[in-house]
Amino acid sequence: MSRDENTPEWVQHIAFEVADREALIAAKEELEAKGLDVLGVTNHGIIHSIYFFDPNGHRLELTYRSGTPEQMKQLADVAPLMLEEWSKTKKAPKHAAWLHEEN
């Protein structure tokens, strides 16, 4: 089964968490050594991610958490609101815009 062509590539993906930055960099290097195109490391504020496609065209994400416990709680608190907004608008919710603001 392939991905839904009516959904943007950046939206439809499966994410897997790795232990830390070193594990993420090692995975990126291994994937690139095998000839895959890898996007990232992308800084999402409290997580850092790489993205690539599997042989069936599914986008995969490998990520590690870099946020503080307080930031993770703040994100968990707005997660239901973000899902509700996404369900209605199909646009990136603004509830966690603070993640992308420079300090």
Side-chain angles (χ1 to χ4, degrees):
M1 180 174 161
S2 65
R3 68 175 196 83
D4 179 0
E5 295 295 329
N6 295 316
T7 302
E9 289 180 348
W10 66 269
V11 174
Q12 188 174 344
H13 67 282
I14 301 169
F16 297 95
E17 186 173 359
V18 298
D20 53 28
R21 181 168 183 81
E22 292 76 25
L24 188 67
I25 297 301
K28 177 180 173 137
E29 290 172 354
E30 181 178 349
L31 291 164
E32 289 175 334
K34 292 179 177 177
L36 276 75
D37 291 326
V38 179
L39 175 65
V41 174
T42 302
N43 179 351
H44 295 292
I46 61 172
I47 63 170
H48 293 76
S49 304
I50 62 172
Y51 301 88
F52 56 97
F53 289 97
D54 76 4
N56 293 318
H58 299 97
R59 180 169 280 232
L60 302 178
E61 173 185 6
L62 298 181
T63 188
Y64 76 92
R65 297 179 198 198
S66 60
T68 66
E70 294 80 17
Q71 289 173 318
M72 299 310 289
K73 177 169 181 345
Q74 187 177 357
L75 184 60
D77 289 346
V78 297
L81 297 171
M82 293 173 71
L83 278 173
E84 182 179 344
E85 183 178 340
W86 169 257
S87 295
K88 291 178 182 175
T89 67
K90 301 299 188 230
K91 295 182 180 175
K94 302 296 183 206
H95 296 85
W98 57 270
L99 291 174
H100 303 287
E101 295 171 355
E102 294 292 326
N103 293 332

